[in-house]
Amino acid sequence: MTDREAISYEQARDELAAVVRRLEAGGLTLEQSLDLWERGEKLAAVCAEWLDGARARLTTAMAAREAAGPGGQGGADGAGGPGGRGGRGDTAKDGPDAKDVPF
């Protein structure tokens, strides 16, 4: 089991913020500071892994949407076509918003 599977992004982020606050507050021994620093490094790596995974999912979803072409036919979630959310359609803005993300 990887660290990413053991802890959620939000848990890792919140714990990392607490580690930073403790280090910034001072008053720790050198050994305590080093232990906290090492934990912070691990938590930062977990956060980076989660974010890399999210970025890959978004890239895949956007590539599938682009491959579906105008009108969004053939989307993995069946949302394309007339009345669907796939494709660019006649929207005034460009790019996905939260409703367009397939997860």
Side-chain angles (χ1 to χ4, degrees):
M1 176 182 290
T2 68
D3 287 336
R4 180 177 167 199
E5 294 168 341
I7 187 170
S8 73
Y9 168 77
E10 292 79 9
Q11 290 169 322
R13 179 202 58 211
D14 292 347
E15 187 179 340
L16 179 57
V19 166
V20 170
R21 282 191 300 273
R22 284 220 40 220
L23 286 169
E24 288 177 341
L28 302 170
T29 66
L30 178 60
E31 190 61 34
Q32 290 170 323
S33 296
L34 289 172
D35 288 344
L36 277 175
W37 179 269
E38 289 171 349
R39 179 63 181 161
E41 288 290 329
K42 288 178 183 177
L43 291 165
V46 169
C47 288
E49 189 177 342
W50 273 108
L51 292 172
D52 289 345
R55 186 176 297 113
R57 286 177 66 185
L58 287 172
T59 299
T60 300
M62 290 171 63
R65 181 176 170 185
E66 289 295 320
Q73 294 292 331
D77 62 0
R85 300 271 321 154
R88 297 205 184 273
D90 294 326
T91 60
K93 64 183 177 116
D94 197 17
D97 62 25
K99 295 179 289 267
D100 294 323
V101 180
F103 56 105

PDB file of all heavy atoms in Angstrom, residues 16 32 36 38 66 96:
ATOM      1  N   LEU A  16       0.224  18.502   6.798  1.00  0.00           N
ATOM      2  CA  LEU A  16       1.399  19.255   6.362  1.00  0.00           C
ATOM      3  C   LEU A  16       1.328  20.696   6.866  1.00  0.00           C
ATOM      4  O   LEU A  16       2.324  21.240   7.351  1.00  0.00           O
ATOM      5  CB  LEU A  16       1.523  19.228   4.837  1.00  0.00           C
ATOM      6  CG  LEU A  16       2.694  20.002   4.228  1.00  0.00           C
ATOM      7  CD1 LEU A  16       4.024  19.532   4.787  1.00  0.00           C
ATOM      8  CD2 LEU A  16       2.656  19.860   2.709  1.00  0.00           C
ATOM      9  N   GLN A  32      13.431  16.975  17.314  1.00  0.00           N
ATOM     10  CA  GLN A  32      12.004  17.155  17.035  1.00  0.00           C
ATOM     11  C   GLN A  32      11.803  17.885  15.705  1.00  0.00           C
ATOM     12  O   GLN A  32      10.927  17.522  14.913  1.00  0.00           O
ATOM     13  CB  GLN A  32      11.328  17.941  18.158  1.00  0.00           C
ATOM     14  CG  GLN A  32      11.214  17.190  19.459  1.00  0.00           C
ATOM     15  CD  GLN A  32      10.762  18.087  20.595  1.00  0.00           C
ATOM     16  OE1 GLN A  32      11.133  19.258  20.686  1.00  0.00           O
ATOM     17  NE2 GLN A  32       9.949  17.518  21.500  1.00  0.00           N
ATOM     18  N   LEU A  36       9.919  16.386  12.408  1.00  0.00           N
ATOM     19  CA  LEU A  36       8.807  17.089  11.770  1.00  0.00           C
ATOM     20  C   LEU A  36       9.121  17.407  10.317  1.00  0.00           C
ATOM     21  O   LEU A  36       8.258  17.290   9.444  1.00  0.00           O
ATOM     22  CB  LEU A  36       8.474  18.378  12.534  1.00  0.00           C
ATOM     23  CG  LEU A  36       7.572  18.233  13.741  1.00  0.00           C
ATOM     24  CD1 LEU A  36       7.418  19.568  14.467  1.00  0.00           C
ATOM     25  CD2 LEU A  36       6.201  17.705  13.346  1.00  0.00           C
ATOM     26  N   GLU A  38      11.069  15.758   8.282  1.00  0.00           N
ATOM     27  CA  GLU A  38      10.964  14.514   7.512  1.00  0.00           C
ATOM     28  C   GLU A  38       9.506  14.140   7.269  1.00  0.00           C
ATOM     29  O   GLU A  38       9.145  13.717   6.173  1.00  0.00           O
ATOM     30  CB  GLU A  38      11.708  13.382   8.223  1.00  0.00           C
ATOM     31  CG  GLU A  38      13.214  13.544   8.173  1.00  0.00           C
ATOM     32  CD  GLU A  38      13.967  12.558   9.053  1.00  0.00           C
ATOM     33  OE1 GLU A  38      13.321  11.868   9.890  1.00  0.00           O
ATOM     34  OE2 GLU A  38      15.192  12.487   8.916  1.00  0.00           O
ATOM     35  N   GLU A  66     -11.823  16.187 -26.560  1.00  0.00           N
ATOM     36  CA  GLU A  66     -11.328  16.747 -27.818  1.00  0.00           C
ATOM     37  C   GLU A  66     -11.423  15.719 -28.945  1.00  0.00           C
ATOM     38  O   GLU A  66     -11.770  16.060 -30.068  1.00  0.00           O
ATOM     39  CB  GLU A  66      -9.879  17.217 -27.665  1.00  0.00           C
ATOM     40  CG  GLU A  66      -9.733  18.465 -26.819  1.00  0.00           C
ATOM     41  CD  GLU A  66     -10.381  19.689 -27.435  1.00  0.00           C
ATOM     42  OE1 GLU A  66     -10.271  19.867 -28.675  1.00  0.00           O
ATOM     43  OE2 GLU A  66     -10.994  20.467 -26.686  1.00  0.00           O
ATOM     44  N   PRO A  96     -13.082  23.507 -19.672  1.00  0.00           N
ATOM     45  CA  PRO A  96     -14.051  22.835 -18.808  1.00  0.00           C
ATOM     46  C   PRO A  96     -14.327  23.628 -17.546  1.00  0.00           C
ATOM     47  O   PRO A  96     -13.505  24.400 -17.074  1.00  0.00           O
ATOM     48  CB  PRO A  96     -13.350  21.523 -18.473  1.00  0.00           C
ATOM     49  CG  PRO A  96     -11.911  21.856 -18.552  1.00  0.00           C
ATOM     50  CD  PRO A  96     -11.788  22.874 -19.648  1.00  0.00           C
TER      51      PRO A  96
END
